[in-house]
Amino acid sequence: MANIVQREHETAFDPRHSALLIIDMLNDLEFEGGEELLEQAMPVATAIGHVRDWYRAHDLPVIYANDNFGRWHADLAKVIEHCRRVGSRGAELSDGLLPGVEDYFVLKPRHSAFYETPLCTLLEKLDIKALALVGIAGDDCVLRTALDAQMRQFPLWVPADGIASQTTLRNQRALACMQEVAKADITRIDARLSEWDNTQRSQKMSSHDRKDVQHPDCTKPQRPETENERQGRKAHESDLTDEAVEETFPASDPVSPFIPAKTPED
């Protein structure tokens, strides 16, 4: 039982140690059902752009995992050029989510982003402990990637408004499968990012409250104390201590006979 509880605790999604994996959003959509998928994917692209910007702003990795469309001589630049070419059905979709120089890119030959790609090595190099999955198609490449990630024990966040399939029904089925089988969190993007931002603000405020506030004078440079000044200060502190003791326990106080009176000076 203890092992089961420990495993469940370890699978909690922690955004601070996660990477965002954008799947096949650079796409020519030149296949059967591509037109229907484009209609579903365009609204999702805006939400994906939002979460991508959040990951970038927090210095967390953004990884594009993209189909090579059978173009085995292609690199990143050629894939992007292919998807954005004049007449490409997916040109507008691709234009809205171009990778930045700080992002990572993995070309995949088949559906899953893990299948025969360097993704596992990259995640290990980046010390990634959890994955956020977004992209298309929700019931195909995203689903297969999620199941492969779950098999590798990555906690998952697959936001419901971050994936698209050819139909709403197919997308809902895919989300249900990923939630039940891959144990993915499917909370929507705005809700989850707002929660994380509020948590970070609370942690910063708590950290600030715990700090001791210095008096402004403490920041002023001070010269070393001379020996005469040190002796004078010590004598002054001793006099103050004697006065405080006398006020608290006067010599005439019958309950404090052990406090001697100060000898009068001649």
Side-chain angles (χ1 to χ4, degrees):
M1 177 65 72
N3 291 336
I4 295 176
V5 173
Q6 183 178 3
R7 283 199 300 270
E8 289 178 350
H9 177 72
E10 291 173 349
T11 58
F13 186 92
D14 186 348
R16 298 170 298 177
H17 303 289
S18 70
L20 176 66
L21 194 61
I22 301 177
I23 301 172
D24 286 339
M25 290 301 288
L26 303 176
N27 208 308
D28 63 2
L29 297 173
E30 297 296 337
F31 49 79
E32 184 179 354
E35 188 171 350
E36 290 82 0
L37 183 55
L38 175 62
E39 182 179 353
Q40 298 290 327
M42 285 304 295
V44 167
T46 301
I48 292 176
H50 184 195
V51 69
R52 180 196 61 183
D53 293 345
W54 189 92
Y55 265 74
R56 287 175 177 173
H58 289 77
D59 295 322
L60 295 169
V62 174
I63 306 170
Y64 283 76
N66 224 87
D67 199 279
N68 69 356
F69 306 105
R71 305 169 68 84
W72 296 97
H73 291 95
D75 56 12
L76 168 61
K78 290 181 179 179
V79 167
I80 293 176
E81 179 183 1
H82 170 76
C83 295
R84 301 178 68 199
R85 72 188 187 279
V86 176
S88 169
R89 180 182 288 159
E92 184 179 358
L93 179 67
S94 301
D95 286 345
L97 284 172
L98 295 176
V101 294
E102 69 273 37
D103 299 331
Y104 299 90
F105 197 92
V106 173
L107 283 176
K108 59 186 184 69
R110 300 299 296 270
H111 306 83
S112 173
F114 287 94
Y115 181 74
E116 295 190 354
T117 75
L119 181 59
C120 276
T121 303
L122 175 59
L123 296 176
E124 182 179 356
K125 184 71 175 179
L126 297 175
D127 196 25
I128 297 302
K129 306 300 183 185
L131 285 174
L133 307 184
V134 294
I136 57 177
D139 61 339
D140 195 349
C141 296
V142 178
L143 174 59
R144 296 171 193 255
T145 299
L147 295 176
D148 276 355
Q150 188 267 343
M151 182 172 61
R152 291 166 173 80
Q153 297 184 328
F154 284 101
L156 294 173
W157 176 43
V158 188
D161 55 339
I163 68 170
S165 306
Q166 289 183 20
T167 68
T168 301
L169 179 58
R170 291 175 63 168
N171 206 56
Q172 290 173 343
R173 288 174 176 170
L175 282 167
C177 178
M178 286 184 279
Q179 183 181 37
E180 181 176 358
V181 178
K183 309 304 179 186
D185 174 10
I186 63 170
T187 305
R188 293 175 65 86
I189 290 172
D190 286 343
R192 190 57 77 214
L193 297 188
S194 296
E195 175 189 330
W196 293 341
D197 286 337
N198 289 335
T199 299
Q200 288 182 342
R201 281 193 292 268
S202 298
Q203 290 173 345
K204 288 180 181 179
M205 291 178 63
S206 298
S207 176
H208 176 74
D209 292 342
R210 287 194 298 267
K211 294 180 180 178
D212 294 332
V213 180
Q214 284 189 329
H215 190 278
D217 290 344
C218 294
T219 60
K220 296 179 181 179
Q222 298 180 352
R223 63 176 176 80
E225 188 178 42
T226 66
E227 181 61 24
N228 288 337
E229 289 173 338
R230 188 186 72 82
Q231 292 180 359
R233 176 174 55 79
K234 291 292 186 180
H236 180 63
E237 291 174 353
S238 179
D239 289 342
L240 291 177
T241 301
D242 290 342
E243 291 176 4
V245 170
E246 287 181 1
E247 291 177 0
T248 307
F249 303 105
S252 60
D253 188 348
V255 300
S256 304
F258 53 87
I259 304 296
K262 194 169 184 180
T263 303
E265 296 181 358
D266 295 333

